[in-house]
């Protein structure tokens, strides 16, 4: 038996006995072993991807509890749809990241095993890779910071596509979210690319629900009880309007009463809880209805 099979165990010995030319046994044994390692790595990778995909699908289809935001069934369905879409986007993004990490770990381990099988010393290679990784880490600190910030942003669901957010550098609607940058479009149509690592704080106007405020200034000598009753009637009519109750308003609007007092006017505040990013629409409708009601009652709006 060839000395080349001494360190290859019984598999090489078996090939040495079967092959007409036994000297090819070590080479063939090595080729078959490498092929088995690569096939096993691909199988494990596919299994890991399927497992991650199953977990992602389960996470993205979990039904949230939205009843605390809405009291009527139609409104609950609207919030459920928004929360489900956000959960699906976050789960799919995290699933993609986990699949890439699993591929790198499994394929990298397989490559190192193959190199070891080919009797290529991997210790110097690992040392070189480690030194190179440290050098790249120092040179790409900002990039690593962006990726880490993006990971935590997705895990904590700070914002998603379609949200109106204030990230300090820009205010606008989120059009795209990646692990490195967030793309926003402001009210003027300008597109902003903000690195995740530079975002120190986020103000999200589209999460859960929003609130519309309307201040109504009337003359100082106006009848407080009459104005409050009029505003209450306006808010009740808005709440009972199917066009708004079934689509944008979360709870019945409230009249807070006199919010500010000066020598020339009384300021009443009306509040309405709405679906995310619909507060401006509801506020405009409230102003129109309040203006019409005040004009009908002969109550002047203070300057």
């Amino acid at each position: 038996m060839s000395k080349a099979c001494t360190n290859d165990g019984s598999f090489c010995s078996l090939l040495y006995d079967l092959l007409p030319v036994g000297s090819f046994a070590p080479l063939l044994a090595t080729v078959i072993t490498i092929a088995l390692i690569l096939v096993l790595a691909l199988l494990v990778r596919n299994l890991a991807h399927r497992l991650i995909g199953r977990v992602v699908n389960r996470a993205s289809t979990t039904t949230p509890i939205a009843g605390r935001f809405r009291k009527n069934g139609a409104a609950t369905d609207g919030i459920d749809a928004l929360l489900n879409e956000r959960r699906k986007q976050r789960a799919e993004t995290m699933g993609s990241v986990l699949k890439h990490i699993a591929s790198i770990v499994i394929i990298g381990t397989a490559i190192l095993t193959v190199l070891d099988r080919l009797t290529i010393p991997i210790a110097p290679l690992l040392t070189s890779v480690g030194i190179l990784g440290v050098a790249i880490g120092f040179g790409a600190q900002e990039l690593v910071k962006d990726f880490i910030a993006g990971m935590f942003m997705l895990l904590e669901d700070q914002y998603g596509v379609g949200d109106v957010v204030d990230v300090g550098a820009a205010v606008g609607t989120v059009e795209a979210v990646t692990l490195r940058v967030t793309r926003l479009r402001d009210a003027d149509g300008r597109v902003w690319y903000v690195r995740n690592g530079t975002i120190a704080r986020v103000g999200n106007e589209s999460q859960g629900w929003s609130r519309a405020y309307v201040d109504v200034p009337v003359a100082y000598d106006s009848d407080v009880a009459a104005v409050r009753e009029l505003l209450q009637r306006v808010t009740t009519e808005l709440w009972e309007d199917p066009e708004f109750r079934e689509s944008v308003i979360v709870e019945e609007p409230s009249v807070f009463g006199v919010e500010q007092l000066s020598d020339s006017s009384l300021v009443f505040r009306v509040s309405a809880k709405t679906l995310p990013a619909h507060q401006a629409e509801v506020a405009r409708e409230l102003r129109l209805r309040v203006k019409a009601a005040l004009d009908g009652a002969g109550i002047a709006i203070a300057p």
Side-chain angles (χ1 to χ4, degrees):
M1 184 181 297
S2 174
K3 295 182 179 180
C5 282
T6 304
N7 299 324
D8 287 330
S10 58
F11 183 62
C12 181
S13 302
L14 178 61
L15 291 176
Y16 186 87
D17 295 334
L18 294 176
L19 291 176
V21 182
S23 59
F24 290 103
L27 178 60
L28 185 58
T30 301
V31 171
I32 294 176
T33 303
I34 291 175
L36 290 176
I37 292 173
L38 295 178
V39 170
L40 181 61
L42 292 177
L43 290 176
V44 173
R45 174 180 172 273
N46 290 338
L47 180 62
H49 282 199
R50 293 185 63 179
L51 180 62
I52 293 172
R54 183 172 299 179
V55 173
V56 167
N57 290 335
R58 179 174 298 180
S60 63
T61 56
T62 302
T63 302
I65 299 176
R68 56 185 175 182
F69 297 120
R70 287 288 194 129
K71 296 182 179 180
N72 54 309
T76 302
D77 293 340
I79 287 187
D80 276 347
L82 291 174
L83 295 180
N84 282 333
E85 183 63 25
R86 291 177 61 84
R87 179 179 285 101
K88 182 178 179 181
Q89 292 174 358
R90 187 171 71 254
E92 288 178 351
T93 303
M94 292 305 303
S96 176
V97 173
L98 291 176
K99 287 180 179 179
H100 280 88
I101 293 176
S103 296
I104 292 173
V105 172
I106 295 171
I107 299 301
T109 302
I111 292 174
L112 291 177
T113 305
V114 169
L115 292 178
D116 182 64
R117 180 64 186 179
L118 295 174
T119 66
I120 297 176
I122 62 175
L125 178 62
L126 293 176
T127 302
S128 302
V129 171
I131 296 174
L132 181 61
V134 172
I136 294 176
F138 277 111
Q141 293 183 57
E142 296 298 328
L143 183 62
V144 174
K145 181 180 177 181
D146 294 340
F147 274 90
I148 294 176
M151 286 283 293
F152 279 103
M153 181 272 296
L154 291 171
L155 288 172
E156 296 169 2
D157 190 25
Q158 297 175 9
Y159 55 84
V161 175
D163 287 355
V164 179
V165 299
D166 178 355
V167 296
V171 180
T173 303
V174 179
E175 291 192 337
V177 179
T178 67
L179 289 180
R180 194 179 71 84
V181 297
T182 296
R183 191 175 77 228
L184 305 175
R185 187 178 296 274
D186 62 18
D188 298 327
R190 186 182 298 109
V191 177
W192 295 81
Y193 294 87
V194 184
R195 288 179 27 235
N196 295 329
T198 62
I199 300 176
R201 53 98 175 128
V202 178
N204 193 332
E205 299 180 11
S206 306
Q207 227 172 33
W209 52 270
S210 300
R211 189 179 294 277
Y213 289 105
V214 174
D215 289 336
V216 183
V218 298
Y220 182 80
D221 57 355
S222 299
D223 187 338
V224 173
V227 174
R228 184 181 179 88
E229 182 180 353
L230 182 145
L231 294 177
Q232 189 65 57
R233 185 168 66 251
V234 170
T235 57
T236 301
E237 291 175 354
L238 180 66
W239 172 245
E240 293 176 351
D241 187 341
E243 181 181 353
F244 288 90
R245 182 169 181 171
E246 296 180 0
S247 59
V248 294
I249 300 181
V250 175
E251 293 179 357
E252 183 175 359
S254 303
V255 179
F256 288 163
V258 179
E259 185 71 17
Q260 297 179 23
L261 179 65
S262 68
D263 58 352
S264 61
S265 66
L266 301 173
V267 179
F268 290 79
R269 172 164 290 183
V270 180
S271 169
K273 184 182 288 187
T274 72
L275 281 177
H278 285 275
Q279 65 270 29
E281 175 187 351
V282 174
R284 286 191 293 267
E285 183 65 22
L286 275 172
R287 293 188 189 99
L288 290 174
R289 296 187 181 220
V290 168
K291 173 65 167 57
L294 291 177
D295 290 345
I299 300 174
I301 297 178

